Amino acid sequence: MRILGIETSCDETAAAVVENGTKVLTNVVASSVSLHQKTGGIIPEVAAREQLKYILPVIEKSLEKQKIDALAVTVGPGLIGSLLVGVETVKTLAYLWQKPLIPVNHLQAHLYANWLEGKKPQFPALGLVISGGHTDLVLLKDHGKIKWLGGTRDDAAGECFDKTARVLDLPYPGGPAIAKLASKGNPQSYDLPRPMMNQENFDFSFSGLKTAVINLKMKKKRIKKADMAASIQLAIATVVTEKTLRAAEKYRVKSVLLAGGVAANQVLRQQMEIKINKNFHLFVPSPQLCTDNAAYVASGAYFNYQPVSWQKIAADPGLSIETDVDYS
Ligand code: KG4
Ligand code: ZN
């Protein structure tokens, strides 16, 4: 079965065709990051307007005259204007082409990047979705059986990278900028907090880490930016790896799946390799599959297939398509 996936939840406009949830036939991503660099972050209205320009060319390019059996689209969570661009386009195409449409939850979909490179994670699996908007630990008992274990109580890990990067006058997105500068710095230089690391839950908190960086910058006349970048990166990677390990031990999982833009971070990946891969089978997607793309949307749709028929869309064009991820 070939599914055309569409992803427009944040600032990327992406389309991909994936066969049977595992074989990526095409994967096209258009990014408006250069625009957001000028403003130091995403202005939702600007992102959505750019997506309006890109959506049809990106879909056309991803199709390459291939036949598809169904369409899939991210319906949330995300920026509402951005989501609407994808959802309304795909509803129209489903109706026009008379194909079923599968609504997809963005967080659940991120984890399916782990099925796209010839590997087959075993259940039960622990999933860590670590991105600009989320830091969540979930237990996957099977496809479609997902339990939320914990998440950030304030900023997401990616948001912490992005905001502390701003404090250091680094460009958006902050994660890759901090990682690049950190390679020249000493991660032991600044003693930054490891928020909630020793608490007996699977929650995270990163706003205090951000405040600590701001306070240090205000207190000291000169901070060494590379050292600070390396210290921030190490603090985030250490907390996240520690809590992931504890969750994997508690739930005795067979696999640990990383996903989301921050999972592209090399130091985080190294820490996970050292700590997790000893006792659990660790799955880490290639960096380009960690950040937002539509291939994992198509894969998530295949493995959690719950389509809305085109007839239903035709009968009720105002239909709002929502995913019901049961995080019970
Ligand atoms: O998954 P994603 O592309 O979009 C969301 O769903 O949020 O994640 C974007 C986030 C941004 O906060 C960005 O700074 C972070 O991922 N990121 C990284 C790296 N590459 C992207 N953070 C740390 N190290 C990286 N190499
Ligand atoms: Zn994402």
Side-chain angles (χ1 to χ4, degrees):
M1 180 187 208
R2 284 185 180 185
I3 297 180
L4 167 67
I6 308 288
E7 157 62 41
T8 62
S9 68
C10 193
D11 60 328
E12 270 83 19
T13 313
V17 179
V18 176
E19 193 167 68
N20 296 335
T22 53
K23 190 172 174 199
V24 182
L25 301 177
T26 57
N27 191 8
V28 182
V29 182
S31 165
S32 53
V33 73
S34 55
L35 273 181
H36 309 310
Q37 273 166 351
K38 290 183 197 151
T39 45
I42 298 170
I43 297 178
E45 167 94 14
V46 174
R49 283 177 188 269
E50 283 302 294
Q51 284 163 323
L52 274 177
K53 287 188 213 159
Y54 293 146
I55 186 81
L56 292 180
V58 162
I59 292 174
E60 252 185 343
K61 194 164 174 207
S62 74
L63 277 175
E64 286 175 350
K65 297 190 187 128
Q66 297 174 78
K67 284 220 162 40
I68 53 144
D69 303 295
L71 298 104
V73 65
T74 299
V75 295
L79 304 172
I80 185 64
S82 295
L83 288 167
L84 279 171
V85 175
V87 169
E88 292 305 311
T89 306
V90 173
K91 269 162 66 177
T92 310
L93 293 177
Y95 176 41
L96 196 68
W97 296 341
Q98 306 193 344
K99 304 277 184 205
L101 191 169
I102 310 145
V104 174
N105 174 287
H106 184 72
L107 295 184
Q108 189 182 24
H110 256 300
L111 292 163
Y112 282 86
N114 290 291
W115 272 265
L116 293 173
E117 295 177 294
K119 294 174 191 154
K120 197 171 174 235
Q122 300 292 300
F123 296 110
L126 178 73
L128 171 70
V129 184
I130 184 165
S131 70
H134 292 268
T135 308
D136 289 295
L137 275 168
V138 295
L139 182 67
L140 292 103
K141 291 175 201 153
D142 204 337
H143 296 298
K145 286 197 178 152
I146 188 165
K147 183 181 164 165
W148 187 82
L149 303 177
T152 185
R153 295 195 182 169
D154 39 59
D155 295 354
E159 196 179 347
C160 186
F161 271 113
D162 295 338
K163 288 183 175 164
T164 52
R166 257 179 107 150
V167 176
L168 300 181
D169 305 313
L170 297 175
Y172 177 86
I178 288 201
K180 194 170 165 210
L181 191 60
S183 64
K184 295 181 220 137
N186 175 2
Q188 313 295 345
S189 304
Y190 294 98
D191 187 19
L192 295 174
R194 304 315 193 225
M196 297 186 78
M197 191 162 83
N198 297 318
Q199 289 189 16
E200 293 278 315
N201 53 37
F202 301 115
D203 286 349
F204 301 93
S205 164
F206 292 105
S207 68
L209 177 56
K210 176 186 67 188
T211 311
V213 173
I214 294 171
N215 287 345
L216 270 170
K217 197 181 169 210
M218 287 201 309
K219 241 190 263 163
K220 303 207 174 208
K221 281 214 176 71
R222 274 179 61 88
I223 56 160
K224 290 194 178 143
K225 283 191 188 177
D227 288 348
M228 183 59 92
S231 304
I232 294 166
Q233 181 174 248
L234 183 66
I236 295 175
T238 306
V239 173
V240 169
T241 306
E242 229 15 79
K243 288 225 149 166
T244 304
L245 177 62
R246 251 182 271 151
E249 282 167 349
K250 177 167 179 187
Y251 291 95
R252 297 162 188 246
V253 294
K254 292 195 178 138
S255 326
V256 174
L257 317 177
L258 302 194
V262 180
N265 185 273
Q266 291 302 330
V267 167
L268 177 70
R269 293 160 86 99
Q270 279 160 14
Q271 293 238 347
M272 290 280 183
E273 284 283 337
I274 295 166
K275 293 234 164 169
I276 308 278
N277 223 7
K278 245 194 278 169
N279 298 315
F280 304 95
H281 195 163
L282 176 71
F283 292 81
V284 191
S286 299
Q288 72 275 11
L289 290 173
C290 289
T291 46
D292 284 348
N293 67 83
Y296 63 62
V297 173
S299 174
Y302 175 82
F303 286 111
N304 301 274
Y305 190 71
Q306 279 175 343
V308 179
S309 68
W310 70 267
Q311 290 92 337
K312 202 167 170 198
I313 294 168
D316 181 7
L319 182 85
S320 81
I321 47 169
E322 282 168 18
T323 49
D324 215 5
V325 177
D326 186 8
Y327 283 128
S328 56

